Amino acid sequence: MGGRGSSSNIGGGGSGIGSFKGAGVRIESDINGLNKALVNKTLNGVRDTLNEFGIPLNTLNGVGVTDSKKAMASVNGFGDLSLSRTEYSSKNSEFKKANHVADSTAYGIGTHEAGHLVSDYAMHKNNKGLSVLEKANMRKSGKWDRQVLKTAKKMNGGSLSAVSKYGSSSKGKAAHEMVAEGVSEYMRKGKNASATSRAIVKALKSYL
């Protein structure tokens, strides 16, 4: 999915593209045809989130472009970030506000997708005995993210609330998006984020 972030504060600023190139992350040439400002804001969001969790930037395997119209951006199980050619070819400097997500800015799309990267990183670290296929199934089914939310629930006094309309369910595959939305809201609001988002971040960090 895509669409979260910090509308006024683009983290430490600078070039997200440059940060990831410097870390040896593969940047596909198709990126050059997109709106560079939007791409940099999104990659800044990814970078700042990975830094918040102390995770290497090259956890992001590559950045490319997709013609799919299903999402503004998406991260697969291999750590590849795909940006929508349609959305990122916009001539506007920012995306339109959307109320169904924690943060719909370009930076926020990055923090949301990085939330998936963080969760996947934690899953691999805590399930080294599983095969590649077993880990893939754990990710696809939402089993790992449900475990993260279970831990977050305990840390939050036994309850969790919807982070956003998009991140509102801890059941099934939907848990995947609730975790990412919690990370995105936390990256936007910090200590002023909801108790649920703070607990999700705390739970993820406990697995790192």
Side-chain angles (χ1 to χ4, degrees), residues 65-189:
V65 181
T66 177
D67 290 315
S68 171
K69 293 181 173 60
K70 291 183 178 180
M72 297 176 79
S74 61
V75 166
N76 64 21
F78 299 103
D80 296 311
L81 173 66
S82 296
L83 304 178
S84 165
R85 188 185 306 278
T86 300
E87 299 293 344
Y88 280 84
S89 293
S90 167
K91 297 187 183 304
N92 297 321
S93 62
E94 190 51 89
F95 293 122
K96 291 182 179 179
K97 181 176 176 58
N99 295 320
H100 68 291
V101 292
D103 193 328
S104 57
T105 63
Y107 181 87
I109 291 175
T111 61
H112 175 96
E113 298 306 330
H116 292 311
L117 288 171
V118 171
S119 185
D120 289 349
Y121 184 91
M123 179 193 71
H124 286 288
K125 183 175 182 179
N126 289 273
N127 294 280
K128 293 181 178 179
L130 298 183
S131 68
V132 172
L133 180 59
E134 287 172 325
K135 289 177 183 176
N137 287 334
M138 178 176 278
R139 180 185 192 271
K140 186 177 181 180
S141 69
K143 182 178 179 180
W144 170 254
D145 290 287
R146 291 195 299 275
Q147 176 62 42
V148 172
L149 292 176
K150 183 177 179 180
T151 300
K153 186 175 181 179
K154 289 181 180 178
M155 291 178 168
N156 197 43
S159 66
L160 291 177
S161 302
V163 177
S164 66
K165 185 175 181 180
Y166 190 63
S168 61
S169 176
S170 60
K171 298 179 180 179
K173 297 179 182 179
H176 196 51
E177 301 304 341
M178 188 170 182
V179 169
E181 282 289 86
V183 170
S184 187
E185 190 196 34
Y186 179 83
M187 290 302 297
R188 179 186 178 193
K189 298 180 179 178

